[in-house]
Structures are given as C-alpha cells and as structure tokens.
Amino acid sequence: PPGTSPQARFSHLTIYGASYYSYLFARCLSEALWERHLAADPLDATAGHNIRQLLLEPGGALEPLDLLTAALGGCRDQVLQQRHGGWCPNPQSLLKSVNKGSSRSL
C-alpha cells in the first residue's frame, strides 16, 4: 500500500536464523541417538523400548538435558558442549551430521 515500506521489514531474517539453527541442533541430537540405539537394527524392539523408557516415560518430570544425557549413555560431551550458560552442538558432531546429510543428497 502507498506510504508503507515492506522492504524495511526484516522479521523473516531474524526469525529464520533461529529456526534454521534449531533444525541443525535437532538433527545433530537425533543422529547421535540413532547411532547409539538404532543404527545396528532400526527395527529392534528393545532399542525402541529403551528410547521410550529413557526419553518419553519421564514426561516433564526430568530436565530435557538429563533425559538426553541418559539416552546418550554418557557420551553427551561428544555431542554437546556448554557455552555461554547454555548447551549447543559440539562442532565436530554437528559437522559430521551435516556432512553425512550432504553426501546422502548427492
């Protein structure tokens, strides 16, 4: 409409970045869980039961980081690192995940 400047609205730039990096973070974590529990046999009922027991059954009774630590079986530091008072993917783990994804799409 006249008198407006749609090009001056940058909300798509600020919102998209956080969504994109959240996707990479989730991808890195899900790959670590896959490798830990399902890579050997994706249809193994015991692996599925373990994931359900470790991640889903506690519901909101435990902190997500505690659930993830238990599900990763003590290898959390290979996947996550503490930074600026929070947690983020370990760069090597993230790069491994991204590289695997790019080789699959070729």
Side-chain angles (χ1 to χ4, degrees):
T4 63
S5 301
Q7 70 276 11
R9 296 187 197 121
F10 293 103
S11 63
H12 67 285
L13 296 177
T14 58
I15 295 169
Y16 177 76
S19 298
Y20 180 74
Y21 290 110
S22 295
Y23 166 76
L24 289 176
F25 190 28
R27 179 177 167 172
C28 182
L29 296 176
S30 64
E31 183 164 334
L33 290 167
W34 174 270
E35 288 180 6
R36 172 91 176 141
H37 294 280
L38 299 165
D41 183 3
L43 300 177
D44 181 31
T46 302
H49 173 77
N50 289 342
I51 289 172
R52 185 181 73 224
Q53 186 177 30
L54 292 167
L55 292 176
L56 302 176
E57 283 182 9
L62 297 174
E63 290 291 323
L65 182 62
D66 296 334
L67 296 172
L68 189 59
T69 299
L72 289 173
C75 67
R76 178 188 72 192
D77 294 339
Q78 294 172 9
V79 180
L80 298 172
Q81 69 179 15
Q82 196 165 16
R83 189 172 176 99
H84 303 295
W87 291 89
C88 64
N90 178 305
Q92 287 77 26
S93 180
L94 184 59
L95 285 172
K96 178 181 165 188
S97 175
V98 170
N99 284 335
K100 276 187 178 181
S102 65
S103 67
R104 284 186 208 126
S105 63
L106 294 178

